[in-house]
Amino acid sequence: MLMRDEIKAAAEAVLFVRGEQVPIDELVEILDVPLLDLKGIMQELVMEYNEKKRGLQIVFEDYTYLMCSRAEYSDFLARMNKTVQRRLSPAAMETLALIAYQQPVTRTEIESIRGVKSDKVLNHLLDKGLICEAGHKAVLGKPLIYATTQEFLRIFGLAGLKDLPRLEEDKKNVRQINRRRDND
Amino acid sequence: MLMRDEIKAAAEAVLFVRGEQVPIDELVEILDVPLLDLKGIMQELVMEYNEKKRGLQIVFEDYTYLMCSRAEYSDFLARMNKTVQRRLSPAAMETLALIAYQQPVTRTEIESIRGVKSDKVLNHLLDKGLICEAGHKAVLGKPLIYATTQEFLRIFGLAGLKDLPRLEEDKKNVRQINRRRDND
Amino acid sequence: MGYMVDLEAFHGPMDLLLYLIDENQVDIYDIPVALLSEQFMAYLERSGEYQLDMMGDFLVMASYLLHLKARMLLPAAPGLEEEAEEDPREELVQKLQQYRKYKEAAEQLVNLQMGKTKRVFFGNRDAFAGENEVLHAELRLLVKAYQAVLERFEEEEPQMHIPQEDVNVHEKMDEILQVLNEKEGSISFVELFARAVRRRELLGLFLALLELVRQQKVAARQEETFGDIRILLRVGNEDVDEG
C-alpha cells in the first residue's frame, strides 16, 4: 500500500500524462486505492495546487479529474508561436493520396479501392480543408465527387496537380481500376 | 514585470501545455524575462519539484526544459499506457539503437555495423518521426547524417540522451582480444 | 536435416552468425571459421523463401567467411615469427561484438518502451494542439501511401504463379563469363546479383561464382570488409585491369 504522499504524486503523474479528464473509477483502478480514501486524498491535492497559485491546477467535475493550466496564464500560452506538427493518420494519408491522383472521384470509388468505409476519414479531410466537394457525377444517384484544394497544394509544396510525382505503374493501375469500376 | 512566483507558474503552464522539450530561448521570449534571471528562477523551480518528490519533474538538458513524469511512477503509467504502444520490428529497433548511441551517424556507418542494406529501415524510422536527417558529414560525398528526435525520447521515456541505458564498454573486449593473442 | 530454415528470423548475416556461435557454444575470440562458414552456407541453402534484396547481404558475408577460411589455411610466412602475427579473425570478432552491443541496446530500448525498466512519460501533447497546429505534409509520404493502396488493391486480383524450375550451376557459370565479357571483364558483385530474379537463382549464381573462383577463371576483390566486391575475368594468370 502506498503512502498518502506517494498516492498524490502518482495521481499527479497519471493526470499529467493523460492530459484529459480521467474518471475517478479509473484512477481507483490504476492506483489501487479504495474510492473513499482516494476522494479525500484528491481533495487535499486539489487544494494544495490552489493554495500555491501554481501554473497548473486539478479540476474535479462530473466524477472526473483534469490537470490543466490555470486561466491566469492563458496570455502566455497564446504567445507561444511554436506550432505543433500534426501527422495525418495512415488512413487519412491513403485516402488523400487516392483523391489527389484519381480526382475527381466519388466516395464509392474510394471505398472500392481502399476496401473499407471511408465516410469518417473524408469528413476529417474536408474539415482540414485538404479536399472539397466538387459537384456531382453524372451517373445514377448523382454521387458527390471529391477533389483536392489549394490548401492541399500549398502544404505539399506543389505548384499544381501536374507536379504530383508520376508513378511508373500508374497507368496500368488506373486502367485496372477503371476496369474494375466498370465491372461493379 | 512579473513576480518571481508568477514567472515560475507561467513557466509551469508553458512546459505543461507543450509536453515536450522547450528551448530556453523560447521561454525567454514567451515569458519576456531576461535570460540570466530566467535561468536562476528555473533552477529554483527545478529544485522545488525535486525536493517535494512530486509526480512530475522538470529536467534541464541541452538548453531545453522538459516537464515529465518522475521515473518512480513508471509502473502505474506503463500499465495505463499498454494499449497504445506499438512495437517496432527487431531490425528497426536494432537500427534505432545504433543511431541513438552513435549519433550523428551516416547510412554507410550503420550498414557496415549491421552488415545489411538499411535504406528501407531508415525510411521507416524517418516516417515514424523517430529519427531525422541532421545535416551532412564533412567528408567526401557529403553523406547525410541521422540523429534521433524528440519523438524518440517521448516513445522510449527518456528525459534526454544522457538517460540512455549504459552499454558495456567495448574497451574491455578489445583488451581481452589482445591478452588472448598474447597467450596463444 | 531436411527441415526448412526461416532465414527471415535473422535480421541479417551478423545475427545469423551470432546465433551459430551461441548454438555451437564456441568462444567468440576463437571462432572455428571452417565450421561456421559451412553451417552458414547450409543455412542459406536450406532457407525458405526470403527477401531477395537481403539475400545479397547474406551472400556477401558467406564470401567473406570463405575468404577468411582460406586465409586461415595459409601457413604462416616464415621469418616473421618474432612479430606478433595478426589473427585474420580479429576484424570479424570486433564487428560481431560491436553488432552484439547494439542488439542488446535494442532490447534495453524495448524494455524502456514497455515500462519494464523505469522511465519517464511526456505530457499528452495531443490534448492541447489548438490553432497553432500545422500538418506535417511530405510529398514522399503521399506518394508512398498511394503506392501502398494500389499494391493492396492489386493483391486482391487473382495472380498467375509461374512454377520455378531448378537452376543449373553450369549454366550460371557460362552466364557469368558471358556477362564479364560484355562488361569488359569486370562487374560489381551487387550488379551481378541484381540480375537474379528468384532466390534459387541467386544461390545458383553464387555457387557458380565460387566454382569459377576455384577454377581461377575469375577473381573476386573486396576493397573493404563487407564492402562491394568486384568480380574480374582472369586472362591466363593475369587479372584484367580495372577501368
Side-chain angles (χ1 to χ4, degrees), chain C residues 168-197:
Chain C
N168 185 318
V169 174
H170 285 282
E171 276 174 23
K172 287 287 159 200
M173 285 167 67
D174 292 341
E175 193 183 313
I176 292 172
L177 292 175
Q178 196 189 330
V179 173
L180 279 171
N181 276 319
E182 281 167 16
K183 296 270 179 181
E184 293 171 350
S186 161
I187 188 172
S188 92
F189 186 85
V190 172
E191 197 186 339
L192 178 65
F193 282 87
R195 306 160 53 87
V197 190

Side-chain angles (χ1 to χ4, degrees), chain C residues 193-216:
Chain C
F193 282 87
R195 306 160 53 87
V197 190
R198 287 170 295 118
R199 198 190 57 83
R200 296 285 316 163
E201 196 179 347
L202 254 177
L203 203 55
L205 205 55
F206 185 63
L207 293 173
L209 183 63
L210 288 180
E211 185 58 21
L212 286 173
V213 172
R214 197 185 65 80
Q215 293 179 9
Q216 304 201 337

Side-chain angles (χ1 to χ4, degrees), chain C residues 16-222:
Chain C
L16 174 55
L17 210 49
L18 276 182
Y19 169 79
L20 292 176
I21 287 168
D22 282 350
E23 190 77 343
N24 288 293
Q25 297 188 337
V26 293
D27 189 343
I28 195 166
Y29 299 101
D30 190 17
I31 299 172
V33 176
L35 176 71
L36 286 199
S37 66
E38 208 173 280
Q39 291 183 351
F40 193 92
M41 284 303 290
Y43 259 85
L44 297 199
E45 283 174 47
R46 282 189 283 121
S47 68
E49 283 306 313
Y50 195 63
Q51 283 168 279
L52 284 177
D53 53 342
M54 275 187 74
M55 195 67 180
D57 296 317
F58 280 93
L59 293 180
V60 168
M61 175 62 88
S63 60
Y64 175 78
L65 287 175
L66 291 172
H67 165 77
L68 202 58
K69 180 175 144 190
R71 270 183 70 187
M72 301 281 292
L73 291 174
L74 286 177
L80 292 173
E81 275 155 37
E82 282 128 57
E83 284 178 50
E85 207 182 322
E86 197 183 307
D87 189 332
R89 299 170 295 182
E90 185 170 336
E91 192 181 6
L92 180 64
V93 172
Q94 277 180 10
K95 289 256 179 195
L96 279 170
Q97 280 183 322
Q98 200 179 20
Y99 174 76
R100 186 155 70 180
K101 187 173 85 180
Y102 294 115
K103 206 178 129 137
E104 280 163 8
E107 281 164 24
Q108 297 218 47
L109 285 182
V110 171
N111 285 339
L112 272 173
Q113 187 187 8
M114 300 295 156
K116 283 178 190 155
T117 38
K118 295 223 174 292
R119 57 165 288 178
V120 305
F121 285 84
F122 284 30
N124 179 2
R125 100 207 109 158
D126 288 348
F128 309 104
E131 300 124 39
N132 276 345
E133 75 175 52
V134 287
L135 265 180
H136 176 81
E138 233 182 298
L139 199 53
R140 186 174 59 84
L141 295 182
L142 185 80
V143 175
K144 241 177 93 171
Y146 185 53
Q147 274 168 331
V149 71
L150 289 185
E151 268 166 33
R152 217 173 61 211
F153 178 76
E154 279 199 328
E155 269 170 23
E156 290 162 20
E157 304 253 318
Q159 280 181 346
M160 295 279 284
H161 286 286
I162 303 156
Q164 298 188 356
E165 74 279 18
D166 224 356
V167 178
N168 185 318
V169 174
H170 285 282
E171 276 174 23
K172 287 287 159 200
M173 285 167 67
D174 292 341
E175 193 183 313
I176 292 172
L177 292 175
Q178 196 189 330
V179 173
L180 279 171
N181 276 319
E182 281 167 16
K183 296 270 179 181
E184 293 171 350
S186 161
I187 188 172
S188 92
F189 186 85
V190 172
E191 197 186 339
L192 178 65
F193 282 87
R195 306 160 53 87
V197 190
R198 287 170 295 118
R199 198 190 57 83
R200 296 285 316 163
E201 196 179 347
L202 254 177
L203 203 55
L205 205 55
F206 185 63
L207 293 173
L209 183 63
L210 288 180
E211 185 58 21
L212 286 173
V213 172
R214 197 185 65 80
Q215 293 179 9
Q216 304 201 337
K217 287 185 178 154
V218 306
R221 273 205 205 137
Q222 190 170 26

Side-chain angles (χ1 to χ4, degrees), chain A residues 2 7 10-11 13-15 17-18 20 22-34 38, chain B residues 73-81:
Chain A
L2 292 171
I7 296 171
V14 168
L15 295 181
V17 169
R18 287 283 287 272
E20 60 184 0
V22 180
I24 189 162
D25 297 346
E26 217 183 312
L27 216 48
V28 163
E29 211 172 296
I30 296 169
L31 302 178
D32 197 18
V33 176
L38 186 66
Chain B
Y73 302 100
S74 72
D75 284 350
F76 295 106
L77 301 173
R79 226 184 296 151
M80 184 177 84
N81 261 27

Side-chain angles (χ1 to χ4, degrees), chain A residues 7 14 31-32 40-41 49 91 117 119 127 131 159 169 174 176:
Chain A
I7 296 171
V14 168
L31 302 178
D32 197 18
I41 293 168
Y49 269 75
K117 277 237 164 297
D119 41 351
D127 284 351
I131 61 167
E169 295 275 290
V174 170
Q176 241 172 334

